[in-house]
Amino acid sequence: MLFNFLVVVNARNPFPRSCYRLWDQWLIDYELNMVTPAGHMIPMLMSIGNHEAGGYDKKYENIAFYMSWFPQQTSVASSPVTSRDSYHAHRISDKTVLLSLDSGIGSKSFSDQTDWVTQQFADASSLPNKLVMYHVPMYPSYRSFSDWLSSDLRDEWLPIFDANHVALAFENHDHMYKRTFPLRSGQISTNGTVYVGDGAWGVVPRSHANPANSWYLANSQPVNFVFRVDIGTTNTTLTAIGQDGVAFDTFVVPFYSN
């Protein structure tokens, strides 16, 4: 592993996008508390949500604070925010790549991003463990499966995920716990992608999952939680942990093997 400790953050935050004081306090709390046993601050990988932009399909100048505070790539840290991308790729081990995507929040979302995702997977074709994270779910737990943005995302990204054997997709936005069956080509498949989420830590969870979505939901619960993700040499183990510190769901996702 490149990182013994890494926090992956979907940035859907209850703070108003212009309230820098609250963001400062959150970051101070993070710096003081999110440290390794050796005393190092744990790095963050961010994924933008609609609360950072005040909606969807926003120009980058409308989300300047997020783009400037969380550049995520050292190569763009000195670039104007309007020239940066809100999506980025990271090698987090010698077998794992993680893509952080923009699910319709920024105005450059789909046409440019789809080509970029294809190229990133081509560059990482030798890696057996491909992970993605983004805000709006392709397989929602609470919202309708036919939600317009979820449908658009499936049209754009699902063929790419399937073709490149994505192992795990970290989704958010619906504010409850979710784990799908492995899915491929819109059907349950033993060698498919597992979609997990749906962003339920600093919010009040939804009361229930959408019954119409039960065909792809292996587990869904109205709880606050975080994931512990342990990446091994042949598989990834995920443990969902509630506010009481107790694990309530654990599962293993194997790396892709030809």
Side-chain angles (χ1 to χ4, degrees):
M1 289 289 295
L2 269 173
F3 296 115
N4 290 320
F5 299 90
L6 174 68
V7 171
V8 175
V9 181
N10 181 265
R12 181 260 180 243
N13 200 299
F15 307 152
R17 64 183 185 278
S18 60
C19 190
Y20 300 102
R21 181 184 63 82
L22 292 176
W23 273 99
D24 279 343
Q25 186 58 58
W26 187 87
L27 291 168
I28 290 170
D29 290 342
Y30 186 96
E31 182 179 7
L32 293 175
N33 293 284
M34 300 300 288
V35 294
T36 69
H40 302 294
M41 190 176 76
I42 300 172
M44 289 184 288
L45 290 184
M46 308 289 285
S47 177
I48 192 169
N50 55 296
H51 283 245
E52 284 63 64
Y56 306 92
D57 196 28
K58 299 294 184 179
K59 295 181 179 179
Y60 284 173
E61 52 261 36
N62 295 120
I63 47 177
F65 94 89
Y66 176 87
M67 300 297 288
S68 61
W69 285 18
F70 304 107
Q72 299 296 289
Q73 301 170 91
T74 56
S75 60
V76 303
S78 60
S79 303
V81 295
T82 52
S83 66
R84 301 176 185 178
D85 290 325
S86 53
Y87 43 90
H88 35 92
H90 305 270
R91 300 282 181 103
I92 58 175
S93 80
D94 58 357
K95 296 183 178 182
T96 301
V97 64
L98 170 65
L99 304 190
S100 175
L101 306 179
D102 181 336
S103 55
I105 313 302
S107 57
K108 289 173 61 178
S109 292
F110 290 135
S111 58
D112 292 343
Q113 192 174 185
T114 297
D115 293 340
W116 177 88
V117 170
T118 300
Q119 184 59 54
Q120 292 300 316
F121 281 144
D123 294 343
S125 60
S126 63
L127 303 185
N129 193 34
K130 298 179 177 68
L131 315 177
V132 293
M133 69 173 181
Y134 45 88
H135 190 71
V136 178
M138 292 200 290
Y139 287 95
S141 55
Y142 178 79
R143 288 173 173 80
S144 170
F145 182 71
S146 59
D147 174 83
W148 69 273
L149 190 46
S150 294
S151 297
D152 285 351
L153 290 170
R154 289 194 300 273
D155 290 343
E156 289 285 341
W157 291 349
L158 195 57
I160 304 174
F161 290 3
D162 286 348
N164 290 278
H165 305 283
V166 170
L168 274 166
F170 294 92
E171 305 189 316
N172 295 273
H173 195 48
D174 266 15
H175 305 168
M176 63 181 301
Y177 178 72
K178 171 197 75 183
R179 170 170 57 88
T180 72
F181 296 104
L183 301 170
R184 184 176 177 81
S185 301
Q187 298 180 354
I188 296 173
S189 172
T190 55
N191 64 344
T193 303
V194 177
Y195 296 81
V196 298
D198 270 339
W201 183 245
V203 294
V204 177
R206 307 287 190 185
S207 60
H208 61 279
N210 190 327
N213 300 340
S214 61
W215 68 268
Y216 59 75
L217 293 176
N219 193 337
S220 61
Q221 301 183 40
V223 295
N224 296 114
F225 74 96
V226 294
F227 278 120
R228 171 175 171 157
V229 181
D230 294 288
I231 300 176
T233 57
T234 61
N235 57 52
T236 300
T237 301
L238 279 83
T239 305
I241 302 171
Q243 280 188 307
D244 56 4
V246 176
F248 62 88
D249 192 22
T250 301
F251 56 100
V252 176
V253 178
F255 293 179
Y256 173 68
S257 177
N258 291 322

